[in-house]
Amino acid sequence: MIRIRNLAFAYAQSVFDLQIDELQIQASSATAMVGPSGSGKTTLLNIIAGILSPDSGCVSVMETDLAGLSDAARRRFRLKNIGLVFQEFELIDYLNVLDNVLLPCRVDRAFPLTSDRRDRAAGLIEDVGLKDHLKKSVTRLSQGERQRVAICRALLMRPPLLLADEPTGNLDPVTSDQIVKLLLRAVQDEGTTLLMVTHNHSLLHHFSRTIDFAEFLTTSARGASVEESRR
Ligand code: ADP
Ligand code: MG
Protein backbone atom coordinates (compact mmCIF):
# COMPACT_ATOMS: atom_id res chain seq x y z
CA MET A 1 0.00 0.00 0.00
CA ILE A 2 2.79 2.40 1.01
CA ARG A 3 6.38 2.04 -0.11
CA ILE A 4 9.12 4.43 1.00
CA ARG A 5 12.72 4.26 -0.14
CA ASN A 6 15.63 6.56 0.65
CA LEU A 7 13.34 9.31 1.84
CA ALA A 8 14.95 12.56 2.97
CA PHE A 9 13.00 15.59 4.09
CA ALA A 10 13.93 18.83 5.87
CA TYR A 11 11.95 21.99 6.56
CA ALA A 12 13.49 25.25 5.43
CA GLN A 13 15.17 26.98 8.36
CA SER A 14 14.89 24.02 10.70
CA VAL A 15 17.51 21.59 11.95
CA PHE A 16 15.05 18.73 11.91
CA ASP A 17 15.49 16.20 9.16
CA LEU A 18 13.69 12.99 8.46
CA GLN A 19 15.45 10.07 6.80
CA ILE A 20 13.87 6.73 6.10
CA ASP A 21 15.78 4.20 4.03
CA GLU A 22 13.01 1.69 3.75
CA LEU A 23 9.48 1.43 5.03
CA GLN A 24 6.56 -0.56 3.71
CA ILE A 25 3.00 -0.67 4.95
CA GLN A 26 0.90 -3.61 3.82
CA ALA A 27 -2.60 -3.11 2.44
CA SER A 28 -5.51 -3.70 4.83
CA SER A 29 -3.24 -3.52 7.89
CA ALA A 30 -3.55 -1.43 11.03
CA THR A 31 -0.30 0.28 12.05
CA ALA A 32 0.30 2.54 15.03
CA MET A 33 3.08 5.13 15.07
CA VAL A 34 4.45 6.22 18.43
CA GLY A 35 7.42 8.35 19.43
CA PRO A 36 8.43 11.55 21.19
CA SER A 37 6.98 14.90 20.26
CA GLY A 38 8.99 16.39 17.42
CA SER A 39 10.25 13.07 16.08
CA GLY A 40 8.57 13.57 12.70
CA LYS A 41 5.35 11.55 12.91
CA THR A 42 3.12 14.31 11.58
CA THR A 43 5.74 15.18 8.97
CA LEU A 44 5.72 11.61 7.68
CA LEU A 45 1.91 11.52 7.50
CA ASN A 46 1.96 14.76 5.51
CA ILE A 47 4.53 13.31 3.12
CA ILE A 48 2.46 10.14 2.64
CA ALA A 49 -0.62 12.31 2.03
CA GLY A 50 1.31 14.31 -0.56
CA ILE A 51 0.87 17.54 1.41
CA LEU A 52 4.65 17.81 1.83
CA SER A 53 7.09 16.73 -0.89
CA PRO A 54 10.29 14.87 0.00
CA ASP A 55 13.64 16.43 -0.92
CA SER A 56 14.75 13.09 -2.31
CA GLY A 57 13.72 9.46 -2.36
CA CYS A 58 10.58 7.72 -3.45
CA VAL A 59 7.20 7.60 -1.75
CA SER A 60 4.52 5.60 -3.46
CA VAL A 61 0.97 5.07 -2.33
CA MET A 62 -0.95 2.33 -4.13
CA GLU A 63 1.86 2.04 -6.67
CA THR A 64 1.55 5.75 -7.47
CA ASP A 65 4.67 7.87 -7.11
CA LEU A 66 3.31 11.07 -5.59
CA ALA A 67 6.25 13.17 -6.82
CA GLY A 68 5.34 12.23 -10.38
CA LEU A 69 1.96 13.93 -10.13
CA SER A 70 1.13 17.58 -10.72
CA ASP A 71 -0.13 19.54 -7.70
CA ALA A 72 -3.71 19.26 -8.93
CA ALA A 73 -3.41 15.53 -9.63
CA ARG A 74 -1.83 14.95 -6.25
CA ARG A 75 -4.66 16.79 -4.53
CA ARG A 76 -7.24 14.78 -6.44
CA PHE A 77 -5.40 11.53 -5.66
CA ARG A 78 -5.53 12.46 -1.99
CA LEU A 79 -9.23 13.30 -2.01
CA LYS A 80 -10.07 10.03 -3.68
CA ASN A 81 -7.72 7.65 -1.91
CA ILE A 82 -6.71 9.04 1.46
CA GLY A 83 -8.92 9.81 4.44
CA LEU A 84 -7.37 12.22 6.92
CA VAL A 85 -8.27 12.50 10.61
CA PHE A 86 -6.52 15.00 12.87
CA GLN A 87 -6.41 15.68 16.59
CA GLU A 88 -8.17 19.01 16.15
CA PHE A 89 -10.90 17.54 13.93
CA GLU A 90 -10.74 20.48 11.49
CA LEU A 91 -14.49 20.71 11.15
CA ILE A 92 -16.15 23.75 9.59
CA ASP A 93 -18.05 25.42 12.41
CA TYR A 94 -20.70 27.11 10.29
CA LEU A 95 -21.71 23.83 8.61
CA ASN A 96 -23.96 21.20 10.14
CA VAL A 97 -22.96 17.57 10.73
CA LEU A 98 -24.12 16.31 7.32
CA ASP A 99 -22.47 19.13 5.38
CA ASN A 100 -19.19 18.64 7.25
CA VAL A 101 -19.19 14.98 6.24
CA LEU A 102 -19.99 15.97 2.64
CA LEU A 103 -17.19 18.54 2.54
CA PRO A 104 -15.01 16.54 0.08
CA CYS A 105 -17.79 17.02 -2.49
CA ARG A 106 -17.57 20.79 -2.13
CA VAL A 107 -13.85 21.17 -2.71
CA ASP A 108 -13.39 19.37 -6.03
CA ARG A 109 -15.72 19.28 -9.03
CA ALA A 110 -14.44 15.78 -9.77
CA PHE A 111 -16.49 14.57 -6.81
CA PRO A 112 -19.93 16.14 -7.20
CA LEU A 113 -22.59 15.77 -4.57
CA THR A 114 -24.63 12.81 -5.81
CA SER A 115 -27.52 11.10 -4.06
CA ASP A 116 -25.22 8.09 -3.55
CA ARG A 117 -22.72 10.22 -1.67
CA ARG A 118 -25.46 11.85 0.36
CA ASP A 119 -26.80 8.39 1.30
CA ARG A 120 -23.30 7.21 2.15
CA ALA A 121 -22.82 10.25 4.44
CA ALA A 122 -26.15 9.71 6.17
CA GLY A 123 -25.33 5.99 6.59
CA LEU A 124 -21.95 6.72 8.14
CA ILE A 125 -23.46 9.29 10.50
CA GLU A 126 -26.05 6.74 11.57
CA ASP A 127 -23.31 4.09 12.04
CA VAL A 128 -21.45 6.28 14.51
CA GLY A 129 -24.61 7.02 16.49
CA LEU A 130 -25.19 10.61 15.37
CA LYS A 131 -28.34 10.07 13.33
CA ASP A 132 -30.33 12.50 15.46
CA HIS A 133 -27.73 15.22 14.97
CA LEU A 134 -27.64 15.30 11.17
CA LYS A 135 -28.67 18.94 10.86
CA LYS A 136 -27.09 20.13 14.08
CA SER A 137 -24.25 22.63 14.09
CA VAL A 138 -20.98 20.86 14.89
CA THR A 139 -20.29 23.57 17.49
CA ARG A 140 -22.98 21.99 19.64
CA LEU A 141 -21.35 18.56 19.75
CA SER A 142 -19.05 17.05 22.38
CA GLN A 143 -15.38 16.43 21.52
CA GLY A 144 -16.01 12.73 20.96
CA GLU A 145 -18.97 13.50 18.72
CA ARG A 146 -16.90 15.99 16.72
CA GLN A 147 -14.21 13.40 16.16
CA ARG A 148 -16.84 10.91 14.98
CA VAL A 149 -18.01 13.50 12.42
CA ALA A 150 -14.40 13.93 11.26
CA ILE A 151 -14.07 10.17 10.84
CA CYS A 152 -17.29 10.00 8.80
CA ARG A 153 -15.88 12.70 6.55
CA ALA A 154 -12.59 10.81 6.17
CA LEU A 155 -14.51 7.65 5.22
CA LEU A 156 -16.97 9.29 2.81
CA MET A 157 -15.05 8.46 -0.37
CA ARG A 158 -14.26 4.90 0.83
CA PRO A 159 -10.54 5.68 0.82
CA PRO A 160 -8.19 2.69 0.65
CA LEU A 161 -5.88 4.54 3.05
CA LEU A 162 -6.77 6.22 6.33
CA LEU A 163 -4.20 8.48 8.04
CA ALA A 164 -5.02 9.53 11.59
CA ASP A 165 -2.82 11.95 13.54
CA GLU A 166 -3.44 11.60 17.27
CA PRO A 167 -7.19 11.32 16.68
CA THR A 168 -7.82 10.55 20.36
CA GLY A 169 -5.52 13.25 21.73
CA ASN A 170 -8.34 15.36 23.16
CA LEU A 171 -10.58 12.54 24.28
CA ASP A 172 -11.20 10.65 27.51
CA PRO A 173 -10.21 6.94 27.65
CA VAL A 174 -13.68 5.52 26.98
CA THR A 175 -14.28 7.82 24.02
CA SER A 176 -10.74 7.15 22.75
CA ASP A 177 -11.46 3.45 22.69
CA GLN A 178 -14.68 4.02 20.75
CA ILE A 179 -12.89 6.18 18.18
CA VAL A 180 -10.12 3.63 17.63
CA LYS A 181 -12.66 0.85 17.25
CA LEU A 182 -14.45 2.94 14.65
CA LEU A 183 -11.23 3.35 12.67
CA LEU A 184 -10.43 -0.35 12.99
CA ARG A 185 -13.88 -1.26 11.76
CA ALA A 186 -13.01 0.38 8.45
CA VAL A 187 -9.97 -1.93 8.29
CA GLN A 188 -12.07 -5.00 9.01
CA ASP A 189 -15.18 -4.16 6.97
CA GLU A 190 -13.70 -2.34 3.99
CA GLY A 191 -10.10 -3.53 3.87
CA THR A 192 -8.89 0.00 4.53
CA THR A 193 -5.23 0.48 5.47
CA LEU A 194 -4.92 2.43 8.72
CA LEU A 195 -1.89 4.39 9.86
CA MET A 196 -2.47 6.10 13.20
CA VAL A 197 -0.21 8.26 15.34
CA THR A 198 -0.89 8.00 19.05
CA HIS A 199 0.69 8.81 22.39
CA ASN A 200 -1.64 6.45 24.14
CA HIS A 201 0.11 3.13 24.68
CA SER A 202 -3.02 1.51 26.04
CA LEU A 203 -4.43 1.61 22.49
CA LEU A 204 -1.54 -0.26 20.89
CA HIS A 205 -2.93 -3.74 21.45
CA HIS A 206 -5.57 -2.94 18.81
CA PHE A 207 -2.90 -2.71 16.11
CA SER A 208 -1.07 -5.46 14.25
CA ARG A 209 2.11 -3.40 14.06
CA THR A 210 3.74 -0.51 15.91
CA ILE A 211 6.41 1.75 14.46
CA ASP A 212 8.41 3.52 17.15
CA PHE A 213 9.90 6.84 16.05
CA ALA A 214 12.14 6.90 19.12
CA GLU A 215 14.23 4.11 17.63
CA PHE A 216 13.90 5.76 14.31
CA LEU A 217 15.35 9.01 15.67
CA THR A 218 18.54 7.36 16.92
CA THR A 219 18.99 5.31 13.79
CA SER A 220 18.06 8.09 11.39
CA ALA A 221 21.31 9.84 12.22
CA ARG A 222 23.10 6.89 10.64
CA GLY A 223 20.60 6.78 7.85
CA ALA A 224 19.40 3.35 8.85
CA SER A 225 15.97 1.90 8.42
CA VAL A 226 13.02 2.51 10.63
CA GLU A 227 13.09 -0.03 13.40
CA GLU A 228 9.81 -1.55 14.17
CA SER A 229 8.36 -3.84 16.71
CA ARG A 230 5.81 -6.41 15.75
CA ARG A 231 3.17 -7.27 18.27
P1 ADP B 1 5.73 14.94 15.73
O1 ADP B 1 4.45 14.87 14.95
O2 ADP B 1 6.42 13.62 15.87
O3 ADP B 1 5.54 15.61 17.04
P2 ADP B 1 6.51 16.83 13.67
O4 ADP B 1 6.55 16.01 12.41
O5 ADP B 1 5.33 17.68 13.88
O6 ADP B 1 6.75 15.84 14.90
O7 ADP B 1 7.77 17.75 13.72
C1 ADP B 1 9.10 17.28 13.53
C2 ADP B 1 10.05 18.45 13.66
O8 ADP B 1 9.86 19.35 12.58
C3 ADP B 1 9.90 19.27 14.92
O9 ADP B 1 11.18 19.62 15.36
C4 ADP B 1 9.11 20.46 14.49
O10 ADP B 1 9.43 21.59 15.27
C5 ADP B 1 9.59 20.64 13.07
N1 ADP B 1 8.55 21.25 12.23
C6 ADP B 1 7.27 20.81 12.08
N2 ADP B 1 6.59 21.57 11.21
C7 ADP B 1 7.46 22.52 10.78
C8 ADP B 1 7.36 23.61 9.85
N3 ADP B 1 6.24 23.86 9.18
N4 ADP B 1 8.47 24.37 9.66
C9 ADP B 1 9.63 24.11 10.31
N5 ADP B 1 9.78 23.09 11.19
C10 ADP B 1 8.72 22.30 11.44
MG1 MG C 1 2.52 15.45 15.47
Short mmCIF file of all heavy atoms in Angstrom, two decimals, residues 28-32 168 173-185 187-188 194 196 198 200-210 231:
data_model
loop_
_atom_site.label_atom_id
_atom_site.label_comp_id
_atom_site.label_asym_id
_atom_site.label_seq_id
_atom_site.Cartn_x
_atom_site.Cartn_y
_atom_site.Cartn_z
N SER A 28 -4.52 -3.16 3.88
CA SER A 28 -5.51 -3.70 4.83
C SER A 28 -4.93 -4.01 6.21
O SER A 28 -5.44 -4.87 6.91
CB SER A 28 -6.17 -4.96 4.28
OG SER A 28 -6.70 -4.71 3.00
N SER A 29 -3.84 -3.32 6.57
CA SER A 29 -3.24 -3.52 7.89
C SER A 29 -3.54 -2.32 8.77
O SER A 29 -3.91 -1.25 8.28
CB SER A 29 -1.72 -3.70 7.75
OG SER A 29 -1.15 -2.51 7.21
N ALA A 30 -3.38 -2.52 10.08
CA ALA A 30 -3.55 -1.43 11.03
C ALA A 30 -2.23 -1.19 11.73
O ALA A 30 -1.74 -2.05 12.46
CB ALA A 30 -4.64 -1.79 12.04
N THR A 31 -1.62 -0.04 11.50
CA THR A 31 -0.30 0.28 12.05
C THR A 31 -0.39 1.49 12.95
O THR A 31 -0.99 2.50 12.58
CB THR A 31 0.69 0.58 10.91
OG1 THR A 31 0.75 -0.54 10.03
CG2 THR A 31 2.09 0.86 11.45
N ALA A 32 0.22 1.39 14.13
CA ALA A 32 0.30 2.54 15.03
C ALA A 32 1.69 3.15 14.93
O ALA A 32 2.66 2.44 14.73
CB ALA A 32 0.04 2.10 16.47
N THR A 168 -7.20 10.65 19.04
CA THR A 168 -7.82 10.55 20.36
C THR A 168 -7.16 11.48 21.36
O THR A 168 -7.41 11.41 22.55
CB THR A 168 -7.74 9.10 20.89
OG1 THR A 168 -6.35 8.75 21.06
CG2 THR A 168 -8.36 8.11 19.92
N PRO A 173 -10.55 8.32 28.02
CA PRO A 173 -10.21 6.94 27.65
C PRO A 173 -11.35 6.16 27.01
O PRO A 173 -11.13 5.44 26.03
CB PRO A 173 -9.81 6.30 28.99
CG PRO A 173 -9.37 7.44 29.84
CD PRO A 173 -10.18 8.62 29.42
N VAL A 174 -12.55 6.29 27.54
CA VAL A 174 -13.68 5.52 26.98
C VAL A 174 -13.97 5.98 25.55
O VAL A 174 -14.12 5.16 24.64
CB VAL A 174 -14.94 5.67 27.87
CG1 VAL A 174 -16.14 5.02 27.20
CG2 VAL A 174 -14.69 5.06 29.24
N THR A 175 -14.02 7.29 25.36
CA THR A 175 -14.28 7.82 24.02
C THR A 175 -13.14 7.47 23.07
O THR A 175 -13.37 7.15 21.91
CB THR A 175 -14.46 9.36 24.10
OG1 THR A 175 -15.35 9.65 25.17
CG2 THR A 175 -15.05 9.91 22.82
N SER A 176 -11.90 7.51 23.57
CA SER A 176 -10.74 7.15 22.75
C SER A 176 -10.89 5.74 22.21
O SER A 176 -10.65 5.48 21.03
CB SER A 176 -9.45 7.20 23.57
OG SER A 176 -9.18 8.50 23.96
N ASP A 177 -11.28 4.84 23.09
CA ASP A 177 -11.46 3.45 22.69
C ASP A 177 -12.52 3.32 21.60
O ASP A 177 -12.34 2.58 20.63
CB ASP A 177 -11.86 2.62 23.92
CG ASP A 177 -10.98 1.40 24.06
OD1 ASP A 177 -9.75 1.58 24.12
OD2 ASP A 177 -11.53 0.28 24.09
N GLN A 178 -13.60 4.06 21.76
CA GLN A 178 -14.68 4.02 20.75
C GLN A 178 -14.17 4.51 19.39
O GLN A 178 -14.46 3.93 18.35
CB GLN A 178 -15.85 4.90 21.18
CG GLN A 178 -16.69 4.31 22.30
CD GLN A 178 -17.68 5.32 22.87
OE1 GLN A 178 -17.68 6.49 22.49
NE2 GLN A 178 -18.51 4.86 23.78
N ILE A 179 -13.38 5.59 19.43
CA ILE A 179 -12.89 6.18 18.18
C ILE A 179 -11.94 5.21 17.48
O ILE A 179 -12.03 5.00 16.27
CB ILE A 179 -12.18 7.52 18.48
CG1 ILE A 179 -13.20 8.58 18.96
CG2 ILE A 179 -11.40 8.01 17.28
CD1 ILE A 179 -14.25 8.95 17.94
N VAL A 180 -11.06 4.58 18.24
CA VAL A 180 -10.12 3.63 17.63
C VAL A 180 -10.87 2.44 17.05
O VAL A 180 -10.57 1.97 15.95
CB VAL A 180 -9.07 3.17 18.66
CG1 VAL A 180 -8.22 2.04 18.10
CG2 VAL A 180 -8.17 4.34 19.03
N LYS A 181 -11.88 1.98 17.77
CA LYS A 181 -12.66 0.85 17.25
C LYS A 181 -13.37 1.21 15.95
O LYS A 181 -13.50 0.39 15.05
CB LYS A 181 -13.66 0.37 18.31
CG LYS A 181 -12.95 -0.41 19.39
CD LYS A 181 -13.88 -1.06 20.38
CE LYS A 181 -13.06 -1.89 21.38
NZ LYS A 181 -13.60 -1.80 22.74
N LEU A 182 -13.80 2.46 15.87
CA LEU A 182 -14.45 2.94 14.65
C LEU A 182 -13.48 2.91 13.47
O LEU A 182 -13.81 2.48 12.37
CB LEU A 182 -14.90 4.38 14.90
CG LEU A 182 -16.18 4.89 14.26
CD1 LEU A 182 -17.33 3.95 14.48
CD2 LEU A 182 -16.49 6.27 14.86
N LEU A 183 -12.25 3.36 13.72
CA LEU A 183 -11.23 3.35 12.67
C LEU A 183 -10.89 1.91 12.27
O LEU A 183 -10.75 1.60 11.09
CB LEU A 183 -9.97 4.09 13.14
CG LEU A 183 -10.13 5.59 13.38
CD1 LEU A 183 -8.91 6.17 14.10
CD2 LEU A 183 -10.35 6.32 12.06
N LEU A 184 -10.79 1.04 13.28
CA LEU A 184 -10.43 -0.35 12.99
C LEU A 184 -11.55 -1.08 12.25
O LEU A 184 -11.28 -2.02 11.50
CB LEU A 184 -10.10 -1.09 14.30
CG LEU A 184 -8.80 -0.64 14.95
CD1 LEU A 184 -8.71 -1.16 16.37
CD2 LEU A 184 -7.59 -1.12 14.14
N ARG A 185 -12.77 -0.63 12.47
CA ARG A 185 -13.88 -1.26 11.76
C ARG A 185 -13.75 -1.04 10.25
O ARG A 185 -14.10 -1.91 9.46
CB ARG A 185 -15.22 -0.71 12.26
CG ARG A 185 -16.31 -1.77 12.18
CD ARG A 185 -17.53 -1.35 12.93
NE ARG A 185 -18.23 -0.30 12.21
CZ ARG A 185 -19.17 0.48 12.75
NH1 ARG A 185 -19.48 0.34 14.02
NH2 ARG A 185 -19.76 1.40 12.05
N VAL A 187 -10.98 -0.95 8.72
CA VAL A 187 -9.97 -1.93 8.29
C VAL A 187 -10.63 -3.29 8.09
O VAL A 187 -10.44 -3.96 7.07
CB VAL A 187 -8.83 -2.04 9.34
CG1 VAL A 187 -7.80 -3.09 8.92
CG2 VAL A 187 -8.16 -0.68 9.54
N GLN A 188 -11.45 -3.68 9.08
CA GLN A 188 -12.07 -5.00 9.01
C GLN A 188 -13.14 -5.08 7.92
O GLN A 188 -13.19 -6.02 7.15
CB GLN A 188 -12.71 -5.34 10.36
CG GLN A 188 -11.73 -6.06 11.28
CD GLN A 188 -11.91 -5.66 12.73
OE1 GLN A 188 -12.99 -5.24 13.12
NE2 GLN A 188 -10.87 -5.79 13.53
N LEU A 194 -4.90 1.37 7.70
CA LEU A 194 -4.92 2.43 8.72
C LEU A 194 -3.52 2.69 9.26
O LEU A 194 -2.81 1.77 9.64
CB LEU A 194 -5.85 2.03 9.88
CG LEU A 194 -5.84 2.91 11.12
CD1 LEU A 194 -6.36 4.32 10.81
CD2 LEU A 194 -6.66 2.29 12.25
N MET A 196 -2.01 5.18 12.15
CA MET A 196 -2.47 6.10 13.20
C MET A 196 -1.36 6.47 14.17
O MET A 196 -0.70 5.61 14.74
CB MET A 196 -3.63 5.44 13.96
CG MET A 196 -4.16 6.30 15.08
SD MET A 196 -5.53 5.50 15.93
CE MET A 196 -4.99 5.74 17.62
N THR A 198 -0.28 7.86 17.73
CA THR A 198 -0.89 8.00 19.05
C THR A 198 0.18 8.11 20.13
O THR A 198 1.29 7.62 19.98
CB THR A 198 -1.83 6.82 19.36
OG1 THR A 198 -2.44 7.04 20.63
CG2 THR A 198 -1.09 5.49 19.41
N ASN A 200 -0.96 7.25 23.14
CA ASN A 200 -1.64 6.45 24.14
C ASN A 200 -1.29 4.96 23.98
O ASN A 200 -1.85 4.27 23.14
CB ASN A 200 -3.15 6.68 23.97
CG ASN A 200 -3.92 6.01 25.07
OD1 ASN A 200 -3.37 5.19 25.81
ND2 ASN A 200 -5.18 6.36 25.17
N HIS A 201 -0.37 4.50 24.83
CA HIS A 201 0.11 3.13 24.68
C HIS A 201 -0.94 2.09 25.00
O HIS A 201 -0.83 0.94 24.59
CB HIS A 201 1.39 2.93 25.51
CG HIS A 201 2.59 3.56 24.86
ND1 HIS A 201 3.62 2.84 24.33
CD2 HIS A 201 2.88 4.87 24.61
CE1 HIS A 201 4.51 3.66 23.79
NE2 HIS A 201 4.08 4.90 23.95
N SER A 202 -1.98 2.49 25.73
CA SER A 202 -3.02 1.51 26.04
C SER A 202 -3.86 1.18 24.81
O SER A 202 -4.68 0.26 24.84
CB SER A 202 -3.91 2.02 27.17
OG SER A 202 -4.71 3.09 26.70
N LEU A 203 -3.67 1.91 23.72
CA LEU A 203 -4.43 1.61 22.49
C LEU A 203 -3.67 0.68 21.55
O LEU A 203 -4.23 0.18 20.57
CB LEU A 203 -4.74 2.92 21.74
CG LEU A 203 -5.65 3.93 22.45
CD1 LEU A 203 -5.75 5.22 21.62
CD2 LEU A 203 -7.04 3.34 22.66
N LEU A 204 -2.38 0.43 21.87
CA LEU A 204 -1.54 -0.26 20.89
C LEU A 204 -1.94 -1.71 20.64
O LEU A 204 -1.68 -2.25 19.57
CB LEU A 204 -0.06 -0.20 21.33
CG LEU A 204 0.54 1.21 21.36
CD1 LEU A 204 2.01 1.15 21.75
CD2 LEU A 204 0.38 1.90 20.01
N HIS A 205 -2.58 -2.33 21.64
CA HIS A 205 -2.93 -3.74 21.45
C HIS A 205 -3.95 -3.93 20.32
O HIS A 205 -4.15 -5.03 19.83
CB HIS A 205 -3.45 -4.34 22.76
CG HIS A 205 -4.79 -3.79 23.17
ND1 HIS A 205 -4.91 -2.61 23.87
CD2 HIS A 205 -6.04 -4.24 22.95
CE1 HIS A 205 -6.20 -2.38 24.08
NE2 HIS A 205 -6.91 -3.34 23.53
N HIS A 206 -4.61 -2.84 19.92
CA HIS A 206 -5.57 -2.94 18.81
C HIS A 206 -4.88 -3.09 17.46
O HIS A 206 -5.53 -3.41 16.46
CB HIS A 206 -6.42 -1.65 18.73
CG HIS A 206 -7.37 -1.48 19.87
ND1 HIS A 206 -8.40 -2.34 20.12
CD2 HIS A 206 -7.46 -0.51 20.81
CE1 HIS A 206 -9.09 -1.92 21.17
NE2 HIS A 206 -8.53 -0.82 21.62
N PHE A 207 -3.58 -2.80 17.40
CA PHE A 207 -2.90 -2.71 16.11
C PHE A 207 -2.02 -3.94 15.85
O PHE A 207 -1.46 -4.52 16.78
CB PHE A 207 -2.05 -1.44 16.06
CG PHE A 207 -2.89 -0.19 16.07
CD1 PHE A 207 -3.39 0.32 17.25
CD2 PHE A 207 -3.22 0.44 14.88
CE1 PHE A 207 -4.22 1.44 17.26
CE2 PHE A 207 -4.03 1.56 14.88
CZ PHE A 207 -4.53 2.06 16.07
N SER A 208 -1.88 -4.29 14.58
CA SER A 208 -1.07 -5.46 14.25
C SER A 208 0.41 -5.10 14.24
O SER A 208 1.28 -5.96 14.28
CB SER A 208 -1.49 -6.05 12.91
OG SER A 208 -1.51 -5.05 11.93
N ARG A 209 0.72 -3.80 14.17
CA ARG A 209 2.11 -3.40 14.06
C ARG A 209 2.29 -2.02 14.69
O ARG A 209 1.41 -1.16 14.58
CB ARG A 209 2.49 -3.35 12.59
CG ARG A 209 3.90 -2.93 12.30
CD ARG A 209 4.09 -2.92 10.78
NE ARG A 209 5.40 -2.41 10.43
CZ ARG A 209 5.75 -2.09 9.18
NH1 ARG A 209 4.89 -2.23 8.19
NH2 ARG A 209 6.94 -1.62 8.94
N THR A 210 3.42 -1.82 15.34
CA THR A 210 3.74 -0.51 15.91
C THR A 210 5.09 -0.04 15.40
O THR A 210 6.07 -0.79 15.45
CB THR A 210 3.78 -0.58 17.46
OG1 THR A 210 2.51 -0.99 17.93
CG2 THR A 210 4.13 0.79 18.06
N ARG A 231 3.86 -6.78 17.06
CA ARG A 231 3.17 -7.27 18.27
C ARG A 231 2.35 -8.49 17.92
O ARG A 231 1.94 -8.64 16.81
CB ARG A 231 2.23 -6.18 18.81
CG ARG A 231 2.88 -4.83 18.79
CD ARG A 231 1.97 -3.83 19.46
NE ARG A 231 2.53 -3.51 20.76
CZ ARG A 231 1.97 -3.79 21.92
NH1 ARG A 231 0.88 -4.46 21.97
NH2 ARG A 231 2.54 -3.40 23.05
#
